[in-house]
């Protein structure tokens, strides 16, 4: 009877140990699963919070494929841009040969050369004289803008990142330009709201007319804290017959009063008109305030 009791006790002890070991194994497996899940969440957070770098223009590589051009020819402008994986778009702005109006040229990536390239078609109506870069603008995937200004053509020393961009100069000869730039009706300038908070989408509108058509138009704001530029592209709305653009307040937006720096319109013949807060007649200058708006403090 004692032997049977001993065998029963040993069996029960073995069974209890087996259950204990099984439980430990399950707990360990569950723990490993939770650790793996936590690691996965951490990795996902790292991926989703990947820092988007602002593109950097290598201004020393700026060049044109010709220094002189005439009607019927095309000038290619090229430059290298670093951290371009996070870039949305890039532009170079030229001051025309005589009126010094701005012409915007989009820069697109060329896989063969590794450069960003754009073209200016020289027409019979193009202005003669030396065309010089005014600035190079990049826009990243968060719609943050960065400007490189030409220290030769931009005298405002308060602007950050002024560099010698004279390697982008070229001269236009033997053309017969017609000076009929677009008309910008400053009295029609308005914004959809004067104050905005995170997530709000502000519409900026203004009337522009031309005997041909408005090909490109922008409004450039000066940010309230960094004094850097924010470029708003405008497009024609057939219903309202206005040029319209939008700015969405995001987490990167600077709080404070946003003021317009300048407005540019280009027609189909590459004639352009620029109105800035730095110069112009009083009738135009008094309307700039109608395009201002205030971004409220954005809570983290």
């Amino acid at each position: 009877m004692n032997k049977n009791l001993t065998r029963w006790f040993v069996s029960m002890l073995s069974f209890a140990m087996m259950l204990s070991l099984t439980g430990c194994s399950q707990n360990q497996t569950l723990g490993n699963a939770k650790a793996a899940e936590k690691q996965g969440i951490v990795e996902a957070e790292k991926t989703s919070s990947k820092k988007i770098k602002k593109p950097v223009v290598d201004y020393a590589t700026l060049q044109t494929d010709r220094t002189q051009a005439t009607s019927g020819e095309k000038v290619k402008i090229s430059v290298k841009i670093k951290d371009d994986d996070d870039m949305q778009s890039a532009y170079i702005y030229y001051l025309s040969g005589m009126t010094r109006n701005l012409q915007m040229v989009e820069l697109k990536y060329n896989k063969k050369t590794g450069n960003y390239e754009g073209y200016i078609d020289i027409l019979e109506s193009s202005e003669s004289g030396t065309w010089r870069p005014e600035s190079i603008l990049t826009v990243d995937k968060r719609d943050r803008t960065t400007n490189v200004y030409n220290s030769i053509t931009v005298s405002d020393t308060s602007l950050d990142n002024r560099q010698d961009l004279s390697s982008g100069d070229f001269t236009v000869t033997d053309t017969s330009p017609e000076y009929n730039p677009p008309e910008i009706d400053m009295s029609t300038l308005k914004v959809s709201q004067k104050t905005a908070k995170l997530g709000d989408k502000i519409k900026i509108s203004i009337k522009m007319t031309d005997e041909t058509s408005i090909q490109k138009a922008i409004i450039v704001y000066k940010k309230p804290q960094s004094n850097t530029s924010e470029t708003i592209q405008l497009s024609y709305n057939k219903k309202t017959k206005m040029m319209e653009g939008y700015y969405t307040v995001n987490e990167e937006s600077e709080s404070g009063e946003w003021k317009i720096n300048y407005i540019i319109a280009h027609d189909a013949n590459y004639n352009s008109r620029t109105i800035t807060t730095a110069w112009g007649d009083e009738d135009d200058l008094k309307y700039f305030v109608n395009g201002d708006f205030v971004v409220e403090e954005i809570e983290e």
Side-chain angles (χ1 to χ4, degrees):
M1 186 70 178
N2 289 337
K3 288 181 181 181
N4 292 336
L5 184 61
T6 301
R7 288 196 191 100
W8 178 83
F9 180 76
V10 171
S11 297
M12 292 300 294
L13 182 61
S14 299
F15 180 70
M17 291 178 64
M18 182 180 68
L19 287 177
S20 177
L21 289 172
T22 302
C24 289
S25 177
Q26 289 176 339
N27 288 338
Q28 185 175 2
T29 301
L30 183 60
N32 291 341
K34 288 183 176 179
E37 181 183 4
K38 184 178 181 181
Q39 182 65 23
I41 293 172
V42 170
E43 293 298 327
E45 288 176 349
K46 286 181 179 179
T47 302
S48 63
S49 61
K50 174 183 176 290
K51 186 175 182 180
I52 293 178
K53 297 180 181 179
K54 287 187 177 182
V56 178
V57 175
D58 187 357
Y59 65 90
T61 65
L62 176 64
Q63 61 179 354
T64 60
D65 66 341
R66 61 181 70 208
T67 57
Q68 287 195 336
T70 190
S71 177
E73 296 180 335
K74 183 179 291 188
V75 179
K76 181 174 78 171
I77 306 106
S78 62
V79 69
K80 288 189 181 297
I81 300 178
K82 302 173 183 177
D83 293 327
D84 58 334
D85 286 343
D86 293 326
M87 189 170 71
Q88 181 170 284
S89 53
Y91 305 89
I92 185 168
Y93 294 88
Y94 268 87
L95 292 165
S96 60
M98 298 181 73
T99 62
R100 318 310 290 162
N101 280 321
L102 284 176
Q103 179 167 329
M104 180 176 64
V105 181
E106 185 174 5
L107 301 174
K108 295 184 178 180
Y109 185 66
N110 185 327
K111 290 182 180 179
K112 292 183 178 179
T113 63
N115 294 328
Y116 279 81
E117 300 173 353
Y119 297 87
I120 295 180
D121 291 317
I122 307 303
L123 309 175
E124 185 62 30
S125 60
S126 297
E127 294 181 19
S128 298
T130 301
W131 290 54
R132 293 186 170 92
E134 187 265 353
S135 62
I136 301 174
L137 167 73
T138 58
V139 184
D140 69 15
K141 291 180 179 177
R142 287 186 180 173
D143 292 326
R144 295 177 299 180
T145 59
T146 303
N147 285 279
V148 178
Y149 296 97
N150 190 350
S151 58
I152 307 300
T153 59
V154 179
S155 58
D156 188 352
T157 57
S158 67
L159 295 172
D160 294 332
N161 204 7
R162 295 169 70 251
Q163 306 292 343
D164 184 349
L165 303 181
S166 59
S167 58
D169 292 358
F170 63 89
T171 301
V172 175
T173 60
D174 301 324
T175 57
S176 301
E178 296 180 28
Y179 304 110
N180 295 305
E183 294 293 331
I184 301 175
D185 188 351
M186 289 295 294
S187 67
T188 64
L189 175 63
K190 61 182 179 180
V191 291
S192 58
Q193 56 195 87
K194 298 296 285 185
T195 60
K197 59 183 182 299
L198 182 63
D200 284 352
K201 189 175 185 179
I202 305 164
K203 181 172 77 173
I204 306 102
S205 59
I206 189 169
K207 187 175 183 180
M208 297 178 177
T209 56
D210 189 78
E211 59 190 19
T212 57
S213 62
I214 304 295
Q215 293 295 93
K216 296 178 182 178
I218 61 170
I219 291 181
V220 179
Y221 279 86
K222 181 176 284 189
K223 298 179 183 179
Q225 297 179 27
S226 64
N227 285 328
T228 56
S229 298
E230 181 74 34
T231 300
I232 309 296
Q233 305 285 343
L234 305 179
S235 57
Y236 184 65
N237 185 325
K238 291 182 180 180
K239 291 183 179 180
T240 63
K241 296 182 179 180
M242 302 280 279
M243 299 296 292
E244 299 175 350
Y246 296 87
Y247 178 73
T248 301
V249 180
N250 56 60
E251 293 178 350
E252 301 293 329
S253 298
E254 296 182 10
S255 58
E257 188 173 20
W258 288 55
K259 291 180 171 291
I260 294 177
N261 200 356
Y262 53 88
I263 302 172
I264 306 173
H266 299 268
D267 67 14
N269 290 328
Y270 296 98
N271 295 311
S272 65
R273 183 181 298 277
T274 303
I275 300 179
T276 82
T277 54
W279 68 81
D281 59 51
E282 292 183 1
D283 287 338
D284 286 338
L285 293 177
K286 67 183 181 182
Y287 291 115
F288 270 100
V289 66
N290 294 341
D292 296 346
F293 60 88
V294 174
V295 172
E296 297 177 355
E297 193 73 34
I298 297 174
E299 297 181 0
E300 295 183 0

